Amino acid sequence: MDENFKKRMEDNGADVNTTVKRFMGKEELYMRFILKFQDDKNLQILQDNLAKKEYEEVFNNAHSIKGVSSNLGLNPIWEAAAAICDLLRGKQPEEVDTQKLQDMVKELEEVYQRFQGIIAEYAV
């Protein structure tokens, strides 16, 4: 693994060392999965469902993002997705604080895109 890549990931809140250990210490395996993150469509689907006010689906999409980001050690993405899950868990559509949800999705988008950018630069 390129040390500059690892440093950028860690400087942005990723837990690379712990995650590589989960990948049996195999950096190349970790890199294969982290590069696949570029193909993840969950954020786009979440945004589409938010626009349609399909809050249960937004919850499901955020939950998927939470799982993927946890497995990859992308802690800031996990935290943002977890906050959305917490906000929506068990709520009926009329109970959702839509402004807060939009703010949280914006925060998720920012950290998600930041990591997508770091990964894309490395993949070139």
PDB file of all heavy atoms in Angstrom, residues 101-121:
ATOM      1  N   LEU A 101     -32.592  16.057   8.522  1.00  0.00           N
ATOM      2  CA  LEU A 101     -32.218  14.949   7.648  1.00  0.00           C
ATOM      3  C   LEU A 101     -31.425  15.464   6.444  1.00  0.00           C
ATOM      4  O   LEU A 101     -30.388  14.909   6.093  1.00  0.00           O
ATOM      5  CB  LEU A 101     -33.451  14.178   7.190  1.00  0.00           C
ATOM      6  CG  LEU A 101     -33.202  13.043   6.192  1.00  0.00           C
ATOM      7  CD1 LEU A 101     -32.241  11.999   6.767  1.00  0.00           C
ATOM      8  CD2 LEU A 101     -34.531  12.409   5.780  1.00  0.00           C
ATOM      9  N   GLN A 102     -31.877  16.525   5.824  1.00  0.00           N
ATOM     10  CA  GLN A 102     -31.165  17.091   4.679  1.00  0.00           C
ATOM     11  C   GLN A 102     -29.762  17.550   5.074  1.00  0.00           C
ATOM     12  O   GLN A 102     -28.804  17.338   4.326  1.00  0.00           O
ATOM     13  CB  GLN A 102     -31.954  18.236   4.063  1.00  0.00           C
ATOM     14  CG  GLN A 102     -33.187  17.761   3.330  1.00  0.00           C
ATOM     15  CD  GLN A 102     -34.051  18.894   2.812  1.00  0.00           C
ATOM     16  OE1 GLN A 102     -33.800  20.070   3.071  1.00  0.00           O
ATOM     17  NE2 GLN A 102     -35.091  18.545   2.076  1.00  0.00           N
ATOM     18  N   ASP A 103     -29.647  18.167   6.251  1.00  0.00           N
ATOM     19  CA  ASP A 103     -28.325  18.590   6.736  1.00  0.00           C
ATOM     20  C   ASP A 103     -27.412  17.389   6.955  1.00  0.00           C
ATOM     21  O   ASP A 103     -26.229  17.427   6.617  1.00  0.00           O
ATOM     22  CB  ASP A 103     -28.457  19.385   8.037  1.00  0.00           C
ATOM     23  CG  ASP A 103     -29.143  20.733   7.845  1.00  0.00           C
ATOM     24  OD1 ASP A 103     -29.250  21.202   6.682  1.00  0.00           O
ATOM     25  OD2 ASP A 103     -29.580  21.312   8.859  1.00  0.00           O
ATOM     26  N   MET A 104     -27.971  16.329   7.506  1.00  0.00           N
ATOM     27  CA  MET A 104     -27.178  15.122   7.763  1.00  0.00           C
ATOM     28  C   MET A 104     -26.763  14.444   6.462  1.00  0.00           C
ATOM     29  O   MET A 104     -25.644  13.939   6.365  1.00  0.00           O
ATOM     30  CB  MET A 104     -27.967  14.158   8.653  1.00  0.00           C
ATOM     31  CG  MET A 104     -28.197  14.694  10.048  1.00  0.00           C
ATOM     32  SD  MET A 104     -29.342  13.643  10.954  1.00  0.00           S
ATOM     33  CE  MET A 104     -28.230  13.003  12.182  1.00  0.00           C
ATOM     34  N   VAL A 105     -27.646  14.433   5.492  1.00  0.00           N
ATOM     35  CA  VAL A 105     -27.308  13.842   4.193  1.00  0.00           C
ATOM     36  C   VAL A 105     -26.208  14.666   3.532  1.00  0.00           C
ATOM     37  O   VAL A 105     -25.283  14.110   2.934  1.00  0.00           O
ATOM     38  CB  VAL A 105     -28.559  13.709   3.288  1.00  0.00           C
ATOM     39  CG1 VAL A 105     -28.173  13.358   1.857  1.00  0.00           C
ATOM     40  CG2 VAL A 105     -29.507  12.657   3.855  1.00  0.00           C
ATOM     41  N   LYS A 106     -26.281  15.982   3.667  1.00  0.00           N
ATOM     42  CA  LYS A 106     -25.228  16.835   3.104  1.00  0.00           C
ATOM     43  C   LYS A 106     -23.876  16.500   3.741  1.00  0.00           C
ATOM     44  O   LYS A 106     -22.858  16.406   3.058  1.00  0.00           O
ATOM     45  CB  LYS A 106     -25.561  18.307   3.307  1.00  0.00           C
ATOM     46  CG  LYS A 106     -24.551  19.226   2.679  1.00  0.00           C
ATOM     47  CD  LYS A 106     -24.938  20.673   2.799  1.00  0.00           C
ATOM     48  CE  LYS A 106     -23.841  21.490   2.142  1.00  0.00           C
ATOM     49  NZ  LYS A 106     -24.142  22.866   2.026  1.00  0.00           N
ATOM     50  N   GLU A 107     -23.861  16.298   5.055  1.00  0.00           N
ATOM     51  CA  GLU A 107     -22.624  15.926   5.745  1.00  0.00           C
ATOM     52  C   GLU A 107     -22.124  14.566   5.243  1.00  0.00           C
ATOM     53  O   GLU A 107     -20.930  14.381   4.993  1.00  0.00           O
ATOM     54  CB  GLU A 107     -22.849  15.866   7.254  1.00  0.00           C
ATOM     55  CG  GLU A 107     -21.609  15.510   8.030  1.00  0.00           C
ATOM     56  CD  GLU A 107     -21.842  15.440   9.527  1.00  0.00           C
ATOM     57  OE1 GLU A 107     -22.746  16.115  10.041  1.00  0.00           O
ATOM     58  OE2 GLU A 107     -21.100  14.682  10.183  1.00  0.00           O
ATOM     59  N   LEU A 108     -23.041  13.619   5.080  1.00  0.00           N
ATOM     60  CA  LEU A 108     -22.676  12.304   4.540  1.00  0.00           C
ATOM     61  C   LEU A 108     -22.074  12.453   3.146  1.00  0.00           C
ATOM     62  O   LEU A 108     -21.042  11.851   2.849  1.00  0.00           O
ATOM     63  CB  LEU A 108     -23.893  11.382   4.504  1.00  0.00           C
ATOM     64  CG  LEU A 108     -23.689  10.018   3.823  1.00  0.00           C
ATOM     65  CD1 LEU A 108     -22.637   9.195   4.553  1.00  0.00           C
ATOM     66  CD2 LEU A 108     -25.018   9.279   3.739  1.00  0.00           C
ATOM     67  N   GLU A 109     -22.711  13.249   2.313  1.00  0.00           N
ATOM     68  CA  GLU A 109     -22.208  13.464   0.949  1.00  0.00           C
ATOM     69  C   GLU A 109     -20.784  14.006   0.968  1.00  0.00           C
ATOM     70  O   GLU A 109     -19.934  13.570   0.191  1.00  0.00           O
ATOM     71  CB  GLU A 109     -23.114  14.438   0.199  1.00  0.00           C
ATOM     72  CG  GLU A 109     -24.470  13.886  -0.132  1.00  0.00           C
ATOM     73  CD  GLU A 109     -25.458  14.953  -0.603  1.00  0.00           C
ATOM     74  OE1 GLU A 109     -25.163  16.170  -0.496  1.00  0.00           O
ATOM     75  OE2 GLU A 109     -26.538  14.567  -1.078  1.00  0.00           O
ATOM     76  N   GLU A 110     -20.526  14.954   1.862  1.00  0.00           N
ATOM     77  CA  GLU A 110     -19.201  15.575   1.928  1.00  0.00           C
ATOM     78  C   GLU A 110     -18.117  14.563   2.294  1.00  0.00           C
ATOM     79  O   GLU A 110     -17.080  14.493   1.631  1.00  0.00           O
ATOM     80  CB  GLU A 110     -19.212  16.737   2.919  1.00  0.00           C
ATOM     81  CG  GLU A 110     -19.986  17.934   2.414  1.00  0.00           C
ATOM     82  CD  GLU A 110     -20.190  19.008   3.475  1.00  0.00           C
ATOM     83  OE1 GLU A 110     -19.680  18.878   4.619  1.00  0.00           O
ATOM     84  OE2 GLU A 110     -20.885  19.996   3.160  1.00  0.00           O
ATOM     85  N   VAL A 111     -18.342  13.761   3.335  1.00  0.00           N
ATOM     86  CA  VAL A 111     -17.304  12.802   3.735  1.00  0.00           C
ATOM     87  C   VAL A 111     -17.201  11.660   2.723  1.00  0.00           C
ATOM     88  O   VAL A 111     -16.105  11.182   2.438  1.00  0.00           O
ATOM     89  CB  VAL A 111     -17.493  12.264   5.176  1.00  0.00           C
ATOM     90  CG1 VAL A 111     -17.329  13.373   6.187  1.00  0.00           C
ATOM     91  CG2 VAL A 111     -18.801  11.547   5.369  1.00  0.00           C
ATOM     92  N   TYR A 112     -18.320  11.267   2.180  1.00  0.00           N
ATOM     93  CA  TYR A 112     -18.350  10.203   1.178  1.00  0.00           C
ATOM     94  C   TYR A 112     -17.533  10.619  -0.045  1.00  0.00           C
ATOM     95  O   TYR A 112     -16.671   9.878  -0.512  1.00  0.00           O
ATOM     96  CB  TYR A 112     -19.813   9.940   0.799  1.00  0.00           C
ATOM     97  CG  TYR A 112     -20.074   8.715  -0.027  1.00  0.00           C
ATOM     98  CD1 TYR A 112     -20.491   7.542   0.571  1.00  0.00           C
ATOM     99  CD2 TYR A 112     -19.962   8.745  -1.419  1.00  0.00           C
ATOM    100  CE1 TYR A 112     -20.782   6.417  -0.184  1.00  0.00           C
ATOM    101  CE2 TYR A 112     -20.246   7.631  -2.175  1.00  0.00           C
ATOM    102  CZ  TYR A 112     -20.657   6.472  -1.561  1.00  0.00           C
ATOM    103  OH  TYR A 112     -20.936   5.357  -2.306  1.00  0.00           O
ATOM    104  N   GLN A 113     -17.788  11.824  -0.535  1.00  0.00           N
ATOM    105  CA  GLN A 113     -17.072  12.320  -1.714  1.00  0.00           C
ATOM    106  C   GLN A 113     -15.587  12.544  -1.420  1.00  0.00           C
ATOM    107  O   GLN A 113     -14.743  12.341  -2.293  1.00  0.00           O
ATOM    108  CB  GLN A 113     -17.716  13.600  -2.243  1.00  0.00           C
ATOM    109  CG  GLN A 113     -19.117  13.403  -2.777  1.00  0.00           C
ATOM    110  CD  GLN A 113     -19.216  12.337  -3.853  1.00  0.00           C
ATOM    111  OE1 GLN A 113     -18.278  12.097  -4.614  1.00  0.00           O
ATOM    112  NE2 GLN A 113     -20.347  11.655  -3.907  1.00  0.00           N
ATOM    113  N   ARG A 114     -15.278  12.955  -0.194  1.00  0.00           N
ATOM    114  CA  ARG A 114     -13.866  13.149   0.171  1.00  0.00           C
ATOM    115  C   ARG A 114     -13.106  11.825   0.025  1.00  0.00           C
ATOM    116  O   ARG A 114     -12.044  11.778  -0.588  1.00  0.00           O
ATOM    117  CB  ARG A 114     -13.757  13.672   1.600  1.00  0.00           C
ATOM    118  CG  ARG A 114     -12.322  13.982   1.989  1.00  0.00           C
ATOM    119  CD  ARG A 114     -12.151  14.589   3.372  1.00  0.00           C
ATOM    120  NE  ARG A 114     -13.336  15.124   3.970  1.00  0.00           N
ATOM    121  CZ  ARG A 114     -13.758  14.822   5.206  1.00  0.00           C
ATOM    122  NH1 ARG A 114     -13.093  13.959   5.950  1.00  0.00           N
ATOM    123  NH2 ARG A 114     -14.844  15.374   5.703  1.00  0.00           N
ATOM    124  N   PHE A 115     -13.660  10.756   0.567  1.00  0.00           N
ATOM    125  CA  PHE A 115     -12.992   9.453   0.455  1.00  0.00           C
ATOM    126  C   PHE A 115     -13.020   8.931  -0.980  1.00  0.00           C
ATOM    127  O   PHE A 115     -12.045   8.350  -1.435  1.00  0.00           O
ATOM    128  CB  PHE A 115     -13.590   8.438   1.430  1.00  0.00           C
ATOM    129  CG  PHE A 115     -13.066   8.604   2.822  1.00  0.00           C
ATOM    130  CD1 PHE A 115     -13.820   9.234   3.789  1.00  0.00           C
ATOM    131  CD2 PHE A 115     -11.792   8.157   3.158  1.00  0.00           C
ATOM    132  CE1 PHE A 115     -13.329   9.407   5.078  1.00  0.00           C
ATOM    133  CE2 PHE A 115     -11.290   8.327   4.437  1.00  0.00           C
ATOM    134  CZ  PHE A 115     -12.061   8.961   5.402  1.00  0.00           C
ATOM    135  N   GLN A 116     -14.109   9.153  -1.686  1.00  0.00           N
ATOM    136  CA  GLN A 116     -14.149   8.747  -3.090  1.00  0.00           C
ATOM    137  C   GLN A 116     -13.026   9.442  -3.863  1.00  0.00           C
ATOM    138  O   GLN A 116     -12.380   8.825  -4.712  1.00  0.00           O
ATOM    139  CB  GLN A 116     -15.512   9.075  -3.720  1.00  0.00           C
ATOM    140  CG  GLN A 116     -16.629   8.170  -3.276  1.00  0.00           C
ATOM    141  CD  GLN A 116     -16.575   6.799  -3.926  1.00  0.00           C
ATOM    142  OE1 GLN A 116     -15.653   6.441  -4.633  1.00  0.00           O
ATOM    143  NE2 GLN A 116     -17.601   6.011  -3.668  1.00  0.00           N
ATOM    144  N   GLY A 117     -12.793  10.716  -3.558  1.00  0.00           N
ATOM    145  CA  GLY A 117     -11.729  11.460  -4.227  1.00  0.00           C
ATOM    146  C   GLY A 117     -10.347  10.917  -3.919  1.00  0.00           C
ATOM    147  O   GLY A 117      -9.505  10.775  -4.819  1.00  0.00           O
ATOM    148  N   ILE A 118     -10.095  10.611  -2.661  1.00  0.00           N
ATOM    149  CA  ILE A 118      -8.799  10.051  -2.263  1.00  0.00           C
ATOM    150  C   ILE A 118      -8.569   8.720  -2.970  1.00  0.00           C
ATOM    151  O   ILE A 118      -7.501   8.463  -3.513  1.00  0.00           O
ATOM    152  CB  ILE A 118      -8.732   9.876  -0.723  1.00  0.00           C
ATOM    153  CG1 ILE A 118      -8.746  11.237  -0.030  1.00  0.00           C
ATOM    154  CG2 ILE A 118      -7.480   9.080  -0.330  1.00  0.00           C
ATOM    155  CD1 ILE A 118      -8.979  11.145   1.480  1.00  0.00           C
ATOM    156  N   ILE A 119      -9.577   7.880  -2.967  1.00  0.00           N
ATOM    157  CA  ILE A 119      -9.464   6.565  -3.594  1.00  0.00           C
ATOM    158  C   ILE A 119      -9.266   6.719  -5.104  1.00  0.00           C
ATOM    159  O   ILE A 119      -8.427   6.026  -5.690  1.00  0.00           O
ATOM    160  CB  ILE A 119     -10.691   5.696  -3.253  1.00  0.00           C
ATOM    161  CG1 ILE A 119     -10.709   5.402  -1.741  1.00  0.00           C
ATOM    162  CG2 ILE A 119     -10.688   4.402  -4.065  1.00  0.00           C
ATOM    163  CD1 ILE A 119     -12.026   4.877  -1.216  1.00  0.00           C
ATOM    164  N   ALA A 120      -9.997   7.612  -5.724  1.00  0.00           N
ATOM    165  CA  ALA A 120      -9.893   7.816  -7.172  1.00  0.00           C
ATOM    166  C   ALA A 120      -8.489   8.297  -7.551  1.00  0.00           C
ATOM    167  O   ALA A 120      -7.933   7.862  -8.564  1.00  0.00           O
ATOM    168  CB  ALA A 120     -10.941   8.811  -7.649  1.00  0.00           C
ATOM    169  N   GLU A 121      -7.921   9.188  -6.746  1.00  0.00           N
ATOM    170  CA  GLU A 121      -6.562   9.671  -7.031  1.00  0.00           C
ATOM    171  C   GLU A 121      -5.554   8.523  -6.965  1.00  0.00           C
ATOM    172  O   GLU A 121      -4.629   8.459  -7.778  1.00  0.00           O
ATOM    173  CB  GLU A 121      -6.163  10.750  -6.028  1.00  0.00           C
ATOM    174  CG  GLU A 121      -6.827  12.074  -6.262  1.00  0.00           C
ATOM    175  CD  GLU A 121      -6.466  13.086  -5.192  1.00  0.00           C
ATOM    176  OE1 GLU A 121      -5.363  12.975  -4.602  1.00  0.00           O
ATOM    177  OE2 GLU A 121      -7.287  13.997  -4.953  1.00  0.00           O
TER     178      GLU A 121
END
